[in-house]
Amino acid sequence: MWNVLLSFSGLVALIQLLFLPFFPESPPYLLLQKGDKAGCVKAMKQLWGEGNYHTEFDDMMKEKLVTKGTKIMNVLEVLKEPSVYPQLRTMLLLLLSLQLCGLS
């Protein structure tokens, strides 16, 4: 019965792929990354109904103003940034030690 057990995770992934297009985008993603205020409000209404979502929207607008001058970096740019080298070294050392010590 191991094949049924292994196929269960694939079945769950397939169900997620089928239903994912019917869910709205994340309101913070729509507002902060894409700059789509109308889409953000629409997603908030769809997620939370017609309740009071204005305080959350105001908080997201404040966050957008704070992060306005910040550049969004992709993975390659982050890896080229010298200020993250100590953190990367620490993570690599930890991951390599876990691989080599035999713990699962």
Side-chain angles (χ1 to χ4, degrees):
M1 297 295 290
W2 62 268
N3 54 356
V4 174
L5 183 64
L6 287 176
S7 66
F8 182 73
S9 62
L11 179 65
V12 171
L14 181 65
I15 290 171
Q16 287 178 351
L17 283 175
L18 289 175
F19 285 104
L20 191 61
F22 299 109
F23 290 107
E25 290 281 347
S26 168
Y29 170 75
L30 287 172
L31 184 65
L32 300 175
Q33 299 287 329
K34 290 190 171 183
D36 185 12
K37 289 181 184 178
C40 176
V41 171
K42 181 182 173 188
M44 290 173 92
K45 283 181 182 178
Q46 188 175 356
L47 286 172
W48 296 324
E50 293 294 328
N52 188 8
Y53 55 86
H54 297 291
T55 56
E56 288 86 4
F57 184 76
D58 292 338
D59 289 341
M60 283 190 279
M61 288 300 290
K62 288 176 188 174
E63 183 179 350
K64 183 177 181 179
L65 290 175
V66 168
T67 61
K68 188 171 186 165
T70 309
K71 182 181 181 253
I72 298 172
M73 300 171 70
N74 61 22
V75 176
L76 189 58
E77 290 172 338
V78 170
L79 291 176
K80 289 180 179 179
E81 184 68 33
S83 64
V84 298
Y85 288 165
Q87 291 90 351
L88 287 174
R89 274 190 244 121
T90 305
M91 284 183 2
L92 283 173
L93 181 66
L94 178 66
L95 290 173
L96 287 175
S97 65
L98 282 174
Q99 289 294 321
L100 297 175
C101 76
L103 292 176
S104 295

XYZ file of all heavy atoms in Angstrom:
826
model
N 0.810 -1.203 0.000
C 0.000 0.000 0.000
C 0.859 1.277 0.000
O 0.339 2.372 0.133
C -0.925 0.007 1.224
C -1.944 -1.129 1.266
S -3.157 -1.060 -0.050
C -4.108 0.335 0.429
N 2.174 1.149 -0.143
C 3.053 2.315 -0.124
C 2.807 3.215 -1.325
O 2.959 4.428 -1.230
C 4.523 1.897 -0.062
C 4.972 1.099 -1.243
C 4.974 -0.253 -1.369
C 5.471 1.603 -2.475
N 5.432 -0.630 -2.590
C 5.750 0.496 -3.311
C 5.710 2.876 -2.973
C 6.248 0.647 -4.595
C 6.211 3.007 -4.241
C 6.476 1.901 -5.038
N 2.405 2.622 -2.456
C 2.151 3.449 -3.637
C 0.931 4.354 -3.443
O 0.891 5.468 -3.931
C 2.016 2.587 -4.880
C 0.980 1.495 -4.706
O 0.403 1.322 -3.641
N 0.748 0.737 -5.769
N -0.057 3.896 -2.701
C -1.224 4.732 -2.400
C -0.812 5.872 -1.471
O -1.229 7.019 -1.648
C -2.349 3.883 -1.754
C -3.502 4.763 -1.314
C -2.825 2.814 -2.715
N 0.037 5.553 -0.506
C 0.507 6.569 0.420
C 1.318 7.645 -0.299
O 1.152 8.841 -0.051
C 1.347 5.922 1.520
C 1.866 6.842 2.610
C 0.707 7.423 3.395
C 2.814 6.093 3.516
N 2.177 7.251 -1.220
C 2.964 8.221 -1.971
C 2.114 9.029 -2.945
O 2.391 10.198 -3.205
C 4.090 7.517 -2.720
C 5.249 7.006 -1.866
C 6.246 6.252 -2.737
C 5.926 8.138 -1.154
N 1.108 8.421 -3.507
C 0.270 9.151 -4.458
C -0.664 10.135 -3.768
O -1.187 11.045 -4.416
C -0.534 8.169 -5.306
O -1.470 7.475 -4.502
N -0.868 9.983 -2.461
C -1.749 10.901 -1.743
C -1.233 12.336 -1.799
O -2.023 13.265 -1.982
C -1.908 10.451 -0.286
C -2.830 11.313 0.509
C -4.200 11.258 0.298
C -2.336 12.186 1.455
C -5.062 12.060 1.014
C -3.183 13.005 2.179
C -4.544 12.932 1.964
N 0.070 12.545 -1.662
C 0.609 13.904 -1.727
C 0.431 14.499 -3.122
O 0.189 15.696 -3.267
C 2.083 13.914 -1.323
O 2.832 13.131 -2.227
N 0.545 13.685 -4.153
C 0.298 14.169 -5.508
C -1.159 14.535 -5.721
O -1.468 15.506 -6.417
N -2.052 13.783 -5.118
C -3.480 14.083 -5.230
C -3.809 15.412 -4.553
O -4.560 16.225 -5.101
C -4.304 12.945 -4.604
C -5.813 13.120 -4.623
C -6.330 13.109 -6.053
C -6.480 12.033 -3.805
N -3.236 15.654 -3.390
C -3.461 16.915 -2.685
C -2.912 18.084 -3.512
O -3.549 19.127 -3.634
C -2.828 16.875 -1.282
C -2.863 18.233 -0.627
C -3.529 15.841 -0.418
N -1.729 17.904 -4.116
C -1.150 18.964 -4.952
C -2.027 19.237 -6.169
O -2.203 20.396 -6.570
C 0.253 18.568 -5.383
N -2.586 18.210 -6.764
C -3.471 18.387 -7.917
C -4.735 19.148 -7.535
O -5.174 20.045 -8.258
C -3.826 17.020 -8.517
C -4.713 17.044 -9.742
C -3.989 17.708 -10.915
C -5.134 15.639 -10.113
N -5.299 18.825 -6.381
C -6.492 19.539 -5.916
C -6.165 21.019 -5.678
O -6.943 21.904 -6.046
C -7.050 18.876 -4.638
C -7.642 17.510 -4.988
C -8.095 19.749 -3.967
C -8.016 16.672 -3.794
N -4.995 21.290 -5.105
C -4.587 22.675 -4.887
C -4.431 23.412 -6.208
O -4.841 24.570 -6.340
C -3.282 22.728 -4.113
C -3.411 22.357 -2.666
C -2.077 22.372 -1.946
O -1.030 22.494 -2.563
N -2.127 22.241 -0.638
N -3.833 22.785 -7.188
C -3.661 23.427 -8.492
C -4.991 23.716 -9.176
O -5.130 24.705 -9.885
C -2.788 22.562 -9.402
C -1.298 22.596 -9.112
C -0.567 21.600 -10.002
C -0.740 23.988 -9.333
N -5.961 22.847 -8.969
C -7.271 23.060 -9.584
C -8.024 24.224 -8.950
O -8.700 24.996 -9.645
C -8.109 21.785 -9.488
C -7.655 20.620 -10.374
C -8.507 19.387 -10.093
C -7.737 20.993 -11.838
N -7.918 24.371 -7.621
C -8.698 25.397 -6.934
C -7.957 26.716 -6.758
O -8.567 27.725 -6.411
C -9.157 24.880 -5.570
C -10.282 23.896 -5.675
C -10.053 22.546 -5.503
C -11.558 24.323 -5.974
C -11.080 21.634 -5.612
C -12.601 23.419 -6.082
C -12.365 22.069 -5.901
N -6.669 26.752 -6.976
C -5.897 27.974 -6.765
C -6.350 29.162 -7.615
O -6.398 30.291 -7.101
C -4.412 27.686 -7.017
C -3.435 28.758 -6.594
C -3.531 28.998 -5.095
C -2.030 28.368 -6.971
N -6.732 28.997 -8.870
C -7.174 30.169 -9.657
C -8.447 30.836 -9.137
O -8.721 31.977 -9.469
C -7.420 29.599 -11.053
C -6.620 28.366 -11.120
C -6.599 27.820 -9.729
N -9.214 30.145 -8.294
C -10.465 30.718 -7.806
C -10.281 31.560 -6.548
O -11.211 32.216 -6.105
C -11.480 29.598 -7.534
C -11.803 28.811 -8.764
C -11.349 27.508 -8.909
C -12.532 29.378 -9.795
C -11.641 26.785 -10.043
C -12.826 28.663 -10.940
C -12.369 27.359 -11.062
N -9.091 31.552 -5.962
C -8.821 32.348 -4.769
C -8.262 33.704 -5.177
O -7.543 33.823 -6.154
C -7.828 31.627 -3.858
C -8.406 30.408 -3.199
C -8.042 29.146 -3.608
C -9.328 30.539 -2.180
C -8.574 28.027 -3.014
C -9.863 29.429 -1.571
C -9.491 28.164 -1.984
N -8.577 34.745 -4.387
C -8.072 36.079 -4.739
C -6.587 36.215 -4.413
O -6.034 35.459 -3.620
C -8.897 37.012 -3.859
C -9.277 36.177 -2.683
C -9.449 34.779 -3.217
N -5.948 37.195 -5.038
C -4.560 37.511 -4.721
C -4.492 38.079 -3.304
O -5.483 38.561 -2.764
C -4.028 38.564 -5.706
C -3.845 38.062 -7.108
C -2.579 37.252 -7.300
O -1.709 37.281 -6.414
O -2.482 36.595 -8.325
N -3.339 38.057 -2.743
C -3.131 38.622 -1.410
C -3.244 40.143 -1.490
O -2.587 40.772 -2.317
C -1.752 38.225 -0.911
O -1.409 38.960 0.226
N -4.066 40.759 -0.641
C -4.188 42.226 -0.679
C -2.865 42.963 -0.471
O -2.601 43.930 -1.195
C -5.196 42.530 0.435
C -6.013 41.299 0.542
C -5.071 40.173 0.261
N -2.009 42.552 0.484
C -0.722 43.262 0.587
C 0.135 43.130 -0.670
O 0.819 44.083 -1.056
C -0.035 42.603 1.780
C -1.128 42.035 2.586
C -2.169 41.629 1.611
N 0.080 41.980 -1.332
C 0.840 41.808 -2.567
C 0.318 42.741 -3.650
O 1.089 43.389 -4.355
C 0.763 40.352 -3.033
C 1.310 40.132 -4.413
C 2.678 40.138 -4.650
C 0.465 39.927 -5.502
C 3.186 39.941 -5.912
C 0.960 39.735 -6.767
C 2.319 39.735 -6.968
O 2.821 39.554 -8.223
N -0.996 42.816 -3.767
C -1.576 43.679 -4.798
C -1.236 45.144 -4.558
O -0.926 45.878 -5.500
C -3.094 43.504 -4.842
C -3.604 42.198 -5.443
C -5.104 42.076 -5.236
C -3.268 42.119 -6.908
N -1.252 45.563 -3.311
C -1.015 46.979 -3.022
C 0.475 47.314 -3.017
O 0.898 48.281 -3.652
C -1.633 47.354 -1.674
C -1.532 48.818 -1.305
C -2.334 49.669 -2.285
C -2.004 49.055 0.104
N 1.282 46.515 -2.326
C 2.690 46.864 -2.137
C 3.555 46.523 -3.346
O 4.440 47.281 -3.708
C 3.236 46.182 -0.889
C 2.529 46.554 0.417
C 3.069 45.724 1.565
C 2.657 48.020 0.696
N 3.325 45.378 -3.959
C 4.161 44.954 -5.073
C 3.670 45.498 -6.412
O 4.449 45.982 -7.213
C 4.220 43.418 -5.144
C 4.808 42.768 -3.920
C 6.298 42.965 -3.824
O 6.979 43.058 -4.821
N 6.799 43.016 -2.610
N 2.371 45.372 -6.645
C 1.825 45.779 -7.942
C 1.294 47.207 -7.957
O 1.110 47.776 -9.023
C 0.720 44.813 -8.359
C 1.217 43.440 -8.726
C 0.112 42.635 -9.363
C 0.655 41.344 -9.926
N -0.399 40.594 -10.611
N 0.987 47.782 -6.791
C 0.451 49.140 -6.734
C -0.990 49.238 -7.189
O -1.437 50.297 -7.623
N -1.748 48.171 -7.073
C -3.133 48.118 -7.537
C -4.080 48.332 -6.356
O -4.432 47.388 -5.654
C -3.387 46.764 -8.209
C -4.755 46.653 -8.824
O -5.454 47.683 -8.943
O -5.140 45.526 -9.198
N -4.486 49.585 -6.125
C -5.361 49.887 -4.992
C -6.755 49.289 -5.182
O -7.328 48.745 -4.244
C -5.481 51.395 -4.808
C -4.244 52.050 -4.292
C -4.464 53.549 -4.105
C -3.185 54.209 -3.671
N -3.346 55.663 -3.517
N -7.295 49.401 -6.381
C -8.644 48.871 -6.627
C -8.664 47.353 -6.475
O -9.599 46.795 -5.897
C -9.108 49.270 -8.026
N -7.636 46.693 -6.976
C -7.552 45.242 -6.827
C -7.394 44.829 -5.378
O -7.941 43.819 -4.941
N -6.668 45.631 -4.614
C -6.492 45.358 -3.184
C -7.819 45.463 -2.452
O -8.163 44.587 -1.653
C -5.464 46.315 -2.594
S -5.243 46.168 -0.820
N -8.565 46.523 -2.718
C -9.862 46.700 -2.067
C -10.815 45.587 -2.475
O -11.548 45.037 -1.640
C -10.445 48.093 -2.405
C -11.875 48.221 -1.938
C -9.574 49.180 -1.801
N -10.801 45.203 -3.732
C -11.667 44.120 -4.208
C -11.313 42.798 -3.531
O -12.197 42.046 -3.108
C -11.533 43.986 -5.726
C -12.390 42.910 -6.314
C -12.185 42.795 -7.808
C -12.931 41.594 -8.354
N -12.609 41.329 -9.741
N -10.014 42.516 -3.399
C -9.594 41.281 -2.743
C -9.955 41.294 -1.269
O -10.350 40.263 -0.704
C -8.095 41.082 -2.920
N -9.834 42.456 -0.620
C -10.208 42.557 0.790
C -11.708 42.338 0.976
O -12.132 41.674 1.928
C -9.781 43.903 1.353
C -8.283 44.038 1.492
S -7.787 45.683 1.968
C -7.754 45.493 3.734
N -12.506 42.884 0.078
C -13.954 42.665 0.158
C -14.290 41.196 -0.055
O -15.173 40.642 0.605
C -14.681 43.519 -0.880
C -14.807 44.968 -0.506
C -15.566 45.733 -1.568
C -15.650 47.201 -1.230
N -16.340 47.974 -2.270
N -13.585 40.551 -0.991
C -13.850 39.151 -1.271
C -13.423 38.267 -0.101
O -14.102 37.293 0.218
C -13.119 38.721 -2.543
C -13.471 37.338 -3.016
C -12.808 37.011 -4.336
O -12.149 37.835 -4.938
N -12.990 35.792 -4.780
N -12.332 38.621 0.551
C -11.846 37.808 1.665
C -12.611 38.065 2.955
O -12.932 37.127 3.694
C -10.354 38.083 1.899
C -9.394 37.499 0.880
C -7.994 38.015 1.115
C -9.408 35.988 0.931
N -12.894 39.324 3.268
C -13.455 39.675 4.561
C -14.905 40.132 4.496
O -15.474 40.489 5.515
C -12.612 40.777 5.205
C -11.226 40.338 5.505
C -10.826 39.102 5.914
C -10.050 41.126 5.421
N -9.477 39.068 6.081
C -8.966 40.310 5.796
C -9.786 42.433 5.074
C -7.664 40.760 5.824
C -8.488 42.877 5.111
C -7.453 42.049 5.485
N -15.484 40.164 3.332
C -16.863 40.610 3.213
C -16.958 42.124 3.251
O -15.989 42.843 3.051
N -18.130 42.616 3.530
C -18.369 44.060 3.519
C -18.099 44.704 4.878
O -18.584 45.780 5.153
C -19.811 44.347 3.094
C -20.112 43.989 1.660
C -19.351 44.845 0.663
O -19.084 46.027 0.957
O -19.024 44.326 -0.404
N -17.332 44.058 5.713
C -17.039 44.585 7.041
C -16.098 45.776 6.987
O -15.837 46.370 5.938
N -15.557 46.115 8.143
C -14.679 47.266 8.258
C -13.241 46.828 7.994
O -12.561 46.334 8.889
C -14.819 47.891 9.652
C -14.080 49.202 9.750
O -13.593 49.726 8.753
N -14.014 49.735 10.943
N -12.785 46.993 6.795
C -11.426 46.632 6.408
C -10.567 47.883 6.184
O -9.427 47.790 5.765
C -11.418 45.783 5.140
C -12.132 46.437 3.983
C -11.468 47.322 3.147
C -13.467 46.190 3.749
C -12.127 47.945 2.107
C -14.129 46.810 2.711
C -13.448 47.677 1.889
O -14.100 48.291 0.867
N -11.119 49.043 6.479
C -10.416 50.298 6.195
C -9.181 50.490 7.082
O -8.198 51.096 6.645
C -11.375 51.481 6.332
C -12.503 51.426 5.348
N -12.314 51.606 3.996
C -13.825 51.169 5.513
C -13.473 51.491 3.374
N -14.409 51.215 4.274
N -9.209 49.985 8.307
C -8.023 50.126 9.159
C -6.861 49.307 8.612
O -5.718 49.768 8.624
C -8.342 49.698 10.599
O -8.845 48.360 10.588
C -9.342 50.631 11.244
N -7.148 48.099 8.113
C -6.101 47.284 7.513
C -5.567 47.934 6.240
O -4.360 47.912 5.968
C -6.609 45.870 7.201
C -6.822 44.999 8.419
C -8.193 45.200 9.030
O -9.014 45.969 8.469
O -8.436 44.602 10.087
N -6.460 48.526 5.457
C -6.041 49.204 4.236
C -5.166 50.411 4.572
O -4.149 50.647 3.911
C -7.271 49.629 3.423
C -6.927 50.245 2.095
C -6.515 49.448 1.045
C -6.997 51.613 1.909
C -6.182 50.011 -0.180
C -6.668 52.188 0.691
C -6.262 51.379 -0.356
N -5.535 51.149 5.608
C -4.723 52.297 6.030
C -3.343 51.846 6.516
O -2.332 52.498 6.224
C -5.432 53.083 7.128
C -6.680 53.793 6.623
O -6.774 54.026 5.390
O -7.559 54.111 7.451
N -3.296 50.727 7.236
C -2.009 50.198 7.687
C -1.129 49.800 6.501
O 0.080 50.039 6.503
C -2.210 48.996 8.604
C -2.770 49.381 9.958
O -2.674 50.565 10.326
O -3.304 48.473 10.647
N -1.739 49.198 5.489
C -0.973 48.815 4.298
C -0.486 50.045 3.538
O 0.628 50.052 2.997
C -1.800 47.913 3.383
C -1.893 46.492 3.876
S -2.608 45.382 2.677
C -4.332 45.696 2.910
N -1.300 51.110 3.508
C -0.867 52.343 2.849
C 0.306 52.972 3.598
O 1.249 53.479 2.979
C -2.035 53.334 2.759
C -3.094 52.941 1.752
S -2.474 52.798 0.075
C -2.136 54.499 -0.312
N 0.276 52.924 4.935
C 1.399 53.428 5.723
C 2.663 52.608 5.438
O 3.754 53.165 5.299
C 1.064 53.386 7.206
C 0.060 54.414 7.640
C -0.280 54.249 9.108
C -1.437 55.152 9.495
N -1.880 54.911 10.880
N 2.498 51.304 5.358
C 3.634 50.436 5.050
C 4.186 50.726 3.660
O 5.394 50.724 3.442
C 3.215 48.976 5.163
C 4.340 47.998 4.937
C 3.893 46.557 5.068
O 2.766 46.308 5.521
O 4.693 45.677 4.706
N 3.286 51.021 2.726
C 3.729 51.351 1.379
C 4.531 52.646 1.368
O 5.537 52.753 0.667
C 2.522 51.464 0.439
C 2.905 51.726 -0.994
C 1.708 51.764 -1.895
C 2.167 52.004 -3.311
N 1.085 52.024 -4.251
N 4.102 53.625 2.145
C 4.841 54.887 2.226
C 6.206 54.695 2.867
O 7.185 55.320 2.456
C 4.030 55.923 3.003
C 2.786 56.465 2.307
C 2.010 57.382 3.241
C 3.158 57.181 1.019
N 6.285 53.825 3.868
C 7.558 53.573 4.533
C 8.529 52.858 3.602
O 9.720 53.165 3.559
C 7.331 52.756 5.828
C 8.634 52.234 6.390
C 6.601 53.595 6.859
N 8.021 51.921 2.829
C 8.885 51.120 1.950
C 8.996 51.689 0.547
O 9.499 51.009 -0.345
C 8.355 49.677 1.859
O 7.038 49.691 1.312
C 8.364 49.002 3.211
N 8.556 52.917 0.335
C 8.545 53.485 -1.013
C 9.950 53.616 -1.591
O 10.175 53.321 -2.753
C 7.862 54.845 -1.006
C 7.629 55.409 -2.387
C 6.762 56.630 -2.336
C 6.435 57.053 -3.760
N 5.343 57.993 -3.797
N 10.923 54.011 -0.795
C 12.282 54.180 -1.296
C 13.085 52.902 -1.334
O 14.215 52.884 -1.819
N 12.540 51.803 -0.854
C 13.255 50.539 -0.794
C 13.177 49.829 -2.133
O 12.109 49.724 -2.735
C 12.646 49.641 0.299
O 12.559 50.370 1.504
C 13.486 48.409 0.505
N 14.324 49.342 -2.591
C 14.361 48.610 -3.857
C 14.063 47.137 -3.610
O 14.614 46.533 -2.690
C 15.742 48.742 -4.489
C 15.866 48.052 -5.820
C 17.272 48.193 -6.380
C 17.336 47.507 -7.705
N 18.065 46.267 -7.635
N 13.196 46.577 -4.400
C 12.881 45.158 -4.309
C 13.946 44.397 -5.080
O 14.181 44.650 -6.261
C 11.480 44.870 -4.864
C 10.436 45.607 -4.042
C 11.204 43.380 -4.872
C 9.048 45.536 -4.611
N 14.593 43.468 -4.388
C 15.708 42.731 -4.979
C 15.279 41.312 -5.310
O 14.473 40.711 -4.602
C 16.874 42.695 -3.986
C 17.387 44.065 -3.610
S 18.571 44.037 -2.262
C 19.963 43.287 -3.058
N 15.843 40.781 -6.396
C 15.600 39.379 -6.712
C 16.654 38.526 -5.997
O 17.540 39.031 -5.321
C 15.581 39.147 -8.222
C 16.894 39.501 -8.882
O 17.939 39.543 -8.235
N 16.848 39.766 -10.170
N 16.578 37.219 -6.140
C 17.448 36.310 -5.403
C 18.910 36.523 -5.777
O 19.785 36.542 -4.906
C 17.017 34.846 -5.653
C 17.967 33.880 -4.969
C 15.603 34.612 -5.175
N 19.197 36.698 -7.043
C 20.577 36.875 -7.481
C 21.183 38.155 -6.911
O 22.346 38.164 -6.480
C 20.640 36.881 -9.014
C 22.023 36.835 -9.641
C 22.773 35.595 -9.186
C 21.921 36.871 -11.145
N 20.419 39.228 -6.864
C 20.904 40.478 -6.286
C 21.164 40.338 -4.789
O 22.116 40.905 -4.263
C 19.913 41.606 -6.546
C 19.841 42.023 -8.001
C 18.720 43.004 -8.259
O 17.759 43.050 -7.449
O 18.793 43.726 -9.263
N 20.314 39.580 -4.109
C 20.516 39.358 -2.680
C 21.792 38.561 -2.440
O 22.570 38.855 -1.529
C 19.294 38.645 -2.053
C 19.584 38.197 -0.634
C 18.090 39.553 -2.083
N 22.039 37.552 -3.268
C 23.241 36.733 -3.107
C 24.513 37.516 -3.416
O 25.581 37.192 -2.898
C 23.161 35.491 -3.993
C 22.114 34.458 -3.582
C 22.071 33.322 -4.587
C 22.365 33.944 -2.190
N 24.425 38.542 -4.247
C 25.587 39.369 -4.573
C 25.840 40.467 -3.546
O 26.884 41.105 -3.576
C 25.410 40.006 -5.956
C 25.521 39.023 -7.097
C 25.342 39.726 -8.424
C 25.468 38.758 -9.575
N 25.267 39.426 -10.866
N 24.907 40.676 -2.626
C 25.031 41.724 -1.621
C 26.018 41.297 -0.527
O 25.814 40.278 0.129
C 23.656 42.005 -1.008
C 23.610 43.124 -0.027
C 23.841 44.468 -0.668
O 23.441 44.668 -1.830
O 24.426 45.318 0.003
N 27.095 42.053 -0.315
C 28.104 41.645 0.680
C 27.596 41.630 2.125
O 28.133 40.907 2.952
C 29.204 42.697 0.526
C 28.971 43.344 -0.771
C 27.519 43.213 -1.084
N 26.571 42.379 2.428
C 26.090 42.427 3.811
C 25.399 41.138 4.245
O 25.205 40.925 5.447
C 25.145 43.605 3.996
O 23.995 43.448 3.202
N 25.017 40.268 3.315
C 24.357 39.018 3.693
C 25.322 37.831 3.713
O 24.909 36.714 4.015
C 23.160 38.708 2.761
C 22.108 39.780 2.861
C 23.590 38.491 1.349
N 26.591 38.034 3.411
C 27.555 36.941 3.399
C 27.669 36.226 4.745
O 27.700 34.987 4.775
C 28.920 37.420 2.928
C 29.001 37.742 1.455
C 30.062 38.462 0.947
C 28.011 37.345 0.568
C 30.139 38.771 -0.402
C 28.077 37.654 -0.772
C 29.145 38.363 -1.256
O 29.211 38.670 -2.584
N 27.732 36.933 5.885
C 27.812 36.189 7.161
C 26.593 35.300 7.417
O 26.734 34.162 7.873
C 27.907 37.290 8.218
C 28.428 38.474 7.496
C 27.909 38.370 6.096
N 25.413 35.786 7.086
C 24.207 34.977 7.276
C 24.217 33.768 6.340
O 23.821 32.664 6.736
C 22.946 35.807 7.038
C 22.704 36.866 8.085
C 23.348 38.190 7.732
O 24.118 38.304 6.786
N 23.047 39.209 8.506
N 24.651 33.971 5.101
C 24.716 32.860 4.153
C 25.724 31.811 4.608
O 25.470 30.604 4.499
C 25.075 33.364 2.757
C 23.982 34.104 2.010
C 24.525 34.676 0.709
C 22.810 33.193 1.749
N 26.878 32.261 5.100
C 27.883 31.315 5.600
C 27.334 30.511 6.774
O 27.529 29.298 6.860
C 29.153 32.056 6.005
C 30.084 32.255 4.847
C 31.428 32.778 5.328
N 31.575 34.114 4.750
C 31.738 35.228 5.415
N 31.846 35.215 6.722
N 31.834 36.380 4.802
N 26.637 31.180 7.673
C 26.061 30.485 8.827
C 25.033 29.453 8.394
O 25.019 28.323 8.894
C 25.412 31.508 9.786
O 26.380 32.490 10.141
C 24.879 30.832 11.021
N 24.167 29.822 7.452
C 23.157 28.882 6.965
C 23.798 27.695 6.270
O 23.395 26.542 6.474
C 22.185 29.592 5.999
C 21.210 30.464 6.695
S 19.967 31.284 5.634
C 20.269 30.735 4.019
N 24.799 27.951 5.427
C 25.462 26.862 4.724
C 26.176 25.925 5.696
O 26.124 24.698 5.539
C 26.448 27.412 3.695
C 25.830 27.936 2.419
C 26.893 28.600 1.553
C 25.148 26.826 1.653
N 26.839 26.479 6.695
C 27.511 25.660 7.689
C 26.514 24.786 8.442
O 26.754 23.593 8.658
C 28.283 26.552 8.657
C 29.067 25.844 9.735
C 30.199 25.032 9.108
C 29.619 26.844 10.715
N 25.389 25.362 8.829
C 24.360 24.615 9.533
C 23.789 23.496 8.661
O 23.662 22.349 9.102
C 23.245 25.556 9.985
C 22.066 24.920 10.693
C 22.514 24.337 12.023
C 20.960 25.924 10.891
N 23.456 23.819 7.417
C 22.881 22.807 6.524
C 23.878 21.695 6.209
O 23.516 20.512 6.173
C 22.382 23.468 5.241
C 21.154 24.345 5.405
C 20.849 25.074 4.105
C 19.965 23.530 5.828
N 25.137 22.054 5.971
C 26.144 21.030 5.699
C 26.396 20.155 6.921
O 26.564 18.938 6.793
C 27.443 21.672 5.225
C 27.429 22.231 3.816
C 28.729 22.954 3.520
C 27.195 21.129 2.802
N 26.412 20.751 8.102
C 26.621 19.932 9.307
C 25.456 18.994 9.538
O 25.634 17.854 9.976
C 26.869 20.827 10.523
O 25.711 21.591 10.792
N 24.242 19.425 9.240
C 23.076 18.520 9.375
C 23.136 17.387 8.362
O 22.749 16.260 8.649
C 21.770 19.302 9.204
C 21.327 20.115 10.401
C 20.094 20.943 10.041
C 21.006 19.216 11.574
N 23.639 17.661 7.166
C 23.748 16.610 6.159
C 24.820 15.595 6.519
O 24.655 14.408 6.269
C 24.065 17.231 4.783
C 22.940 17.985 4.164
C 21.774 17.085 3.797
O 21.962 15.975 3.330
N 20.570 17.569 4.041
N 25.904 16.073 7.108
C 27.025 15.194 7.371
C 26.966 14.486 8.717
O 27.687 13.535 8.948
C 28.336 15.980 7.267
C 28.635 16.552 5.885
C 29.881 17.413 5.927
C 28.778 15.456 4.850
N 26.100 14.923 9.640
C 26.062 14.314 10.963
C 25.179 13.074 11.027
O 25.255 12.304 11.967
C 25.643 15.319 12.007
S 23.890 15.692 11.997
N 24.298 12.865 10.067
C 23.472 11.660 10.042
C 22.118 11.828 10.679
O 21.364 10.861 10.784
N 21.773 13.007 11.141
C 20.426 13.225 11.702
C 19.430 13.390 10.575
O 19.705 14.010 9.567
C 20.406 14.476 12.578
C 21.198 14.402 13.880
C 21.152 15.740 14.568
C 20.649 13.336 14.782
N 18.265 12.856 10.769
C 17.220 12.989 9.750
C 16.275 14.092 10.142
O 15.822 14.211 11.214
C 16.437 11.698 9.597
O 17.295 10.693 9.113
